[in-house]
Amino acid sequence: MSLKQTGAPSVEPVSATLLKNWLRVDGSDEDTLIGELAAGARAYFENETNRQLITATWQLKLSNFPSDGGDLIMTISPLQSVTSVTYVNTSDVVTTWASANYVVDTDSDVGRLRPAYNIDYPSDVRGYDQDVVVTFVAGYGDAASDVPDGALLAVKLLAGNWYENRESNAPIA
């Protein structure tokens, strides 16, 4: 299994200006650093929580569909939609699995895709690494105002800690 972001968010949920105000920094000498800390804290938060704060596109690649007919789990939350499901069939042809064949659960904490009623996953998948590709969209929305306050606070607290304690957070060589 592999998971890769293929379409990046258009904005940072915590802007450098917002973080600068949070840190009570007046000058512009460290604007670049503060922007990097905001982006780094967001990336760290997203990685540790498997949450996508601002809308982004992802690809989940698998060697096959679940053999038990169970759910395909989208490990990045919150799931907004599934754009496409493709697979390489036993004739080495990339095939799109029609959206009428599956149901997408965007209401659960972790999004899922499952076959529709009386439908099975395709049985003619070649079965090599990354033959099944699920392209999906995840995130709370397109703007920082869509992101839960707790997540924004966590990003600001983390970035603030890194800003105030640069030396103690430095990696050991």
Side-chain angles (χ1 to χ4, degrees), residues 78-158:
L79 178 64
Q80 291 181 15
S81 63
V82 171
T83 307
S84 67
V85 178
T86 62
Y87 65 96
V88 180
N89 67 23
T90 52
S91 299
D92 291 332
V93 175
V94 176
T95 306
T96 299
W97 197 37
S99 60
N101 291 328
Y102 56 86
V103 176
V104 177
D105 175 5
T106 59
D107 294 328
S108 297
D109 187 49
V110 177
R112 303 164 189 282
L113 178 145
R114 69 179 61 92
Y117 181 71
N118 277 341
I119 301 286
D120 293 323
Y121 285 118
S123 59
D124 63 337
V125 179
R126 184 177 61 177
Y128 295 163
D129 284 346
Q130 304 183 6
D131 273 357
V132 176
V133 179
V134 180
T135 303
F136 66 97
V137 177
Y140 289 101
D142 296 331
S145 59
D146 297 322
V147 179
D149 292 338
L152 295 174
L153 179 60
V155 171
K156 290 187 284 189
L157 286 169
L158 183 59

Side-chain angles (χ1 to χ4, degrees), residues 12 14-42 155-156 158-160 162-164 166:
E12 286 290 338
V14 175
S15 68
T17 302
L18 181 65
L19 184 57
K20 210 169 140 177
N21 289 336
W22 172 264
L23 297 171
R24 298 182 187 147
V25 173
D26 293 326
S28 61
D29 292 348
E30 297 187 305
D31 283 1
T32 300
L33 171 65
I34 290 170
E36 290 170 351
L37 290 173
R42 184 255 321 138
V155 171
K156 290 187 284 189
L158 183 59
W162 290 347
Y163 180 80
E164 293 296 329
R166 295 175 215 184

